[in-house]
Amino acid sequence: MMENRILDISSPISASLPVWPGDPALEIVAEMKIADGASANVSRMTMSAHSGTHIDAPLHFFDSGYATDEISLEKLIGEALVIQMDERIPLITEECLQNLKLQVWPRRILFKTVNSTYQNWSRQPFRKDFCALSAGAARFLAEKNVILVGIDYLSIAPFDEPDAVHQILLSAGIVILEGLDLGEISQGLYKLICLPLKIVGIEGAPARAILMDL
Ligand SMILES: [Zn+2]
């Protein structure tokens, strides 16, 4: 095995990134161009805070919750287990998690699901039928004292029922990491480094996330 690989698990931010229905479209505009006589190239970006690879903070579902800039870096950096779920599973339930029969639940879990088989999902139109966690699975992870949970599509919760899963995870202080690109990643334990932009007082923030071999 190659050692000390740095594996980028962040989705490329571009205008072809799928956007959650109703969220602002992602737009990158060249405001100044050297080609037009300016002395520098300067772009302006318009995007939802939940674009591509990003984290959710409790403020996303609770007005009294803390924001992304208040999440300690200790939660965002450290050992993480990538779990390859059976690709026939459309919803990760508590039973699915029990069937994994893990002796120990690492504190950071990244789920690689059927979503990773949707070729370059981060450049395709939005799809509603992505694999996500059930509320029971969210409760299970909270009981296992997980501090970060990630998934390979834009939401940790099913499209039709987003509230309960987010509320359970966020009220337990669990960082939600969404929009991961795990296509090239195999199951195993890694070091996760997830660095969300330090935007003050906001409920979600785009992040660069990488895995490193332990
Ligand atoms: Zn989000």
Side-chain angles (χ1 to χ4, degrees):
M1 191 179 90
M2 276 166 56
E3 279 178 21
N4 301 322
R5 290 174 305 168
I6 297 174
L7 304 160
D8 195 350
I9 54 169
S10 320
S11 306
I13 294 176
S14 78
S16 38
L17 199 60
V19 175
W20 195 264
D23 277 8
L26 198 152
E27 207 185 1
I28 301 173
V29 181
E31 290 279 306
M32 288 168 54
K33 293 186 193 176
I34 295 171
D36 292 346
S39 63
N41 293 314
V42 177
S43 303
R44 176 173 52 82
M45 297 179 64
T46 309
M47 64 196 277
S48 155
H50 303 262
S51 301
T53 306
H54 70 279
I55 63 163
D56 288 349
L59 184 58
H60 190 25
F61 274 81
F62 302 102
D63 263 346
S64 57
Y66 55 86
T68 49
D69 60 304
E70 296 170 83
I71 295 174
S72 76
L73 292 177
E74 280 75 15
K75 280 190 180 173
L76 298 164
I77 297 172
E79 267 187 21
L81 179 66
V82 174
I83 300 179
Q84 169 78 64
M85 299 303 293
D86 188 321
E87 288 166 2
R88 290 164 297 182
I89 292 177
L91 178 72
I92 301 172
T93 62
E94 177 177 3
E95 194 186 0
C96 297
L97 299 182
Q98 276 164 351
N99 288 342
L100 295 171
K101 300 207 178 357
L102 287 190
Q103 308 280 346
V104 179
W105 279 83
R107 305 205 72 198
R108 299 174 195 81
I109 308 281
L110 308 180
F111 289 106
K112 181 177 180 182
T113 72
V114 65
N115 303 336
S116 286
T117 67
Y118 304 150
Q119 256 212 329
N120 289 327
W121 69 259
S122 61
R123 296 182 192 84
Q124 312 275 345
F126 182 84
R127 57 188 302 158
K128 296 178 178 176
D129 62 343
F130 57 86
C131 178
L133 291 188
S134 73
R139 246 175 256 118
F140 179 90
L141 293 173
E143 282 162 18
K144 298 293 178 193
N145 292 319
V146 165
I147 54 173
L148 179 146
V149 60
I151 197 151
D152 52 356
Y153 204 71
L154 288 171
S155 179
I156 194 71
F159 181 78
D160 293 324
E161 281 175 79
D163 299 0
V165 173
H166 279 93
Q167 287 166 354
I168 292 163
L169 295 173
L170 295 173
S171 63
I174 298 174
V175 179
I176 300 174
L177 175 53
E178 298 167 324
L180 291 171
D181 177 0
L182 297 175
E184 303 292 312
I185 309 298
S186 32
Q187 172 160 304
L189 203 56
Y190 299 87
K191 178 174 185 178
L192 168 72
I193 299 176
C194 171
L195 295 174
L197 292 181
K198 195 171 180 173
I199 305 171
V200 175
I202 200 169
E203 83 295 336
R208 190 70 182 253
I210 62 168
L211 295 177
M212 293 180 71
D213 291 317
L214 288 173

